Amino acid sequence: DNVAKFYIQPFFAPNDGVATRMWIQSLGDSWPHRDGFALYSLGSFDTDTGHFEPTDPTLVLSGNAISEKYAPHNQGETVQ
């Protein structure tokens, strides 16, 4: 959260695409303020061994780069 100046609790996803989808959906009421948020990758998690391999934070998606077609009011509609 760029405005509040803190990081929100991390979550696990199988890849950046799924993480992006989960993150966009989690914005909820914060959707109009999405430009104040960014999604970062912090490493990888091996589901076979339970090992987490941290990396330097890598930007996956900036909130201001999210298209309006993903807005909550457009969910369930076909975007052409």
Side-chain angles (χ1 to χ4, degrees), residues 2-27:
N2 297 330
V3 175
K5 303 292 185 204
F6 69 86
Y7 290 91
I8 297 169
Q9 181 177 355
F11 64 91
F12 291 95
N15 57 53
D16 287 350
V18 173
T20 297
R21 181 174 60 207
M22 292 170 63
W23 180 64
I24 290 171
Q25 290 174 343
S26 76
L27 287 172

Side-chain angles (χ1 to χ4, degrees), residues 2-66:
N2 297 330
V3 175
K5 303 292 185 204
F6 69 86
Y7 290 91
I8 297 169
Q9 181 177 355
F11 64 91
F12 291 95
N15 57 53
D16 287 350
V18 173
T20 297
R21 181 174 60 207
M22 292 170 63
W23 180 64
I24 290 171
Q25 290 174 343
S26 76
L27 287 172
D29 291 340
S30 296
W31 174 259
H33 311 289
R34 65 190 180 279
D35 59 338
F37 298 91
L39 175 65
Y40 286 86
S41 174
L42 302 176
S44 62
F45 178 71
D46 187 322
T47 58
D48 292 330
T49 65
H51 180 74
F52 176 72
E53 183 66 38
T55 61
D56 289 336
T58 305
L59 180 65
V60 174
L61 181 66
S62 177
N64 61 2
I66 303 171

